Amino acid sequence: MRKRRRLSALSVLGGTVLLMVAASAAPASAEVIQGPCTGSATFDNGVTVTEATPLSQVVVIPPEGDVDYSGDTHLPPTDEEEPFSGSASIETALGVRAPIVNWPEPPGETKLTQSSGTYTYEAPAWVPRGTGAIKVTATHTQRGQVCTAAFNVALEGDPGTQAAVAVGLTAVAGAATLAAGTKRKGK
Amino acid sequence: MKGRPILGVVAGFLFGLLLGPTLWLWGVIELASPLMWILPIVGIVLGLLMAAWAPFGMDSTDEPADEPAVDTAPPARSDALSETAPEAPPTSGPDSKDESSS
């Protein structure tokens, strides 16, 4: 009876581990998710990201600095102003997205179908440095055409005290989980 | 279950919930990794398994066999008394008398 119970517990554990391994093996895919747009961004440390950069490549960028960007919607030129919109956001687990930047700011219209320039950015101090990949998704909508691209970034630096605190809290929770295996009196 | 299933579920969930961000902070997994929500579920399963297995603590089969079948006293109190009560020293007898006199 006890052997059978242990066997079933082990099979549940084995199934869970298999699920974990299968979920962690994410396939490498191209950066552009939707649309014919092209673009590139070059950061202060010389790293360049284009629409061809695969998601499997983690781009390490400085926490603050300038980025030289260029983008082309490949739409035919027009003489009339037309509305456009776009945004970049961080994607977390379960598909939850946290917005980073929206454009145009302030809202407006444009005749341009391509653009380039320099954008100055600064990551907030609470964003940990030197972590695993952070998936950034950018979307641009113009004249009914939607372009979506994604790439994986990480900020330069060390995780520091945040990582140490996380390890400590995880160890406490792990010890409490092991403590659940303490026999109750009278059982 | 021989162990503590409620502690196992709560602590296991917290363990998995904290393990995901910890692995991300140390650069092991991505922020958008499915492990972020899989690990808390695995933690709950682990906590329940620990509670079912209960490998720690004294087993009930280790108790003496000549213990009375019906025990009216609370088990915790009786265990504590049996473990901590010192053996009573002999209060009378010829040996003790001799030692005190000499």
Side-chain angles (χ1 to χ4, degrees):
Chain A
M1 188 69 174
R2 180 176 278 190
K3 269 187 181 175
R4 190 180 291 174
R5 215 181 267 177
R6 275 192 187 166
L7 203 64
S8 61
L10 280 174
S11 62
V12 169
L13 189 65
T16 312
V17 169
L18 276 176
L19 186 69
M20 281 172 64
V21 171
S24 63
S29 55
E31 189 189 356
V32 170
I33 297 171
Q34 182 185 4
C37 304
T38 54
S40 70
T42 304
F43 294 87
D44 281 346
N45 60 353
V47 171
T48 300
V49 184
T50 70
E51 76 282 352
T53 306
L55 272 174
S56 57
Q57 180 185 333
V58 180
V59 182
V60 181
I61 62 170
E64 57 188 5
D66 296 331
V67 55
D68 297 323
Y69 68 89
S70 67
D72 194 341
T73 60
H74 295 288
L75 287 168
T78 177
D79 292 334
E80 292 181 12
E81 297 266 339
E82 58 187 6
F84 72 106
S85 64
S87 66
S89 56
I90 290 174
E91 194 173 317
T92 61
L94 293 171
V96 179
R97 290 184 179 181
I100 308 170
V101 61
N102 293 299
W103 62 83
E105 194 64 48
E109 296 186 336
T110 185
K111 291 178 187 174
L112 300 173
T113 56
Q114 54 184 325
S115 177
S116 61
T118 302
Y119 179 74
T120 303
Y121 70 96
E122 183 179 356
W126 53 265
V127 177
R129 275 68 169 151
T131 61
I134 301 169
K135 189 176 178 183
V136 176
T137 305
T139 301
H140 183 90
T141 306
Q142 190 170 346
R143 213 181 297 170
Q145 176 183 279
V146 180
C147 289
T148 305
F151 54 95
N152 278 320
V153 295
L155 298 179
E156 281 179 349
D158 292 323
T161 52
Q162 287 165 318
V165 168
V167 167
L169 290 174
T170 306
V172 170
T177 308
L178 290 178
T182 309
K183 287 184 181 70
R184 284 179 288 175
K185 284 189 177 176
K187 285 275 170 181
Chain B
M1 285 198 184
K2 293 179 287 180
R4 300 161 196 274
I6 295 172
L7 176 66
V9 168
V10 174
F13 175 73
L14 285 175
F15 175 59
L17 198 69
L18 291 165
L19 186 60
T22 303
L23 291 176
W24 171 68
L25 281 170
W26 287 94
V28 179
I29 62 171
E30 299 173 8
L31 185 62
S33 170
L35 285 177
M36 287 286 186
W37 58 267
I38 290 175
L39 283 173
I41 298 169
V42 173
I44 291 172
V45 173
L46 184 69
L48 283 173
L49 283 177
M50 287 303 296
W53 182 23
F56 308 120
M58 190 186 286
D59 204 349
S60 56
T61 54
D62 295 344
E63 289 171 13
D66 57 347
E67 208 174 1
V70 179
D71 192 1
T72 51
R77 186 175 167 79
S78 64
D79 285 349
L81 281 175
S82 63
E83 284 172 15
T84 57
E87 210 171 294
T91 51
S92 62
D95 292 341
S96 59
K97 217 172 197 178
D98 292 345
E99 279 171 12
S100 60
S101 59
S102 62

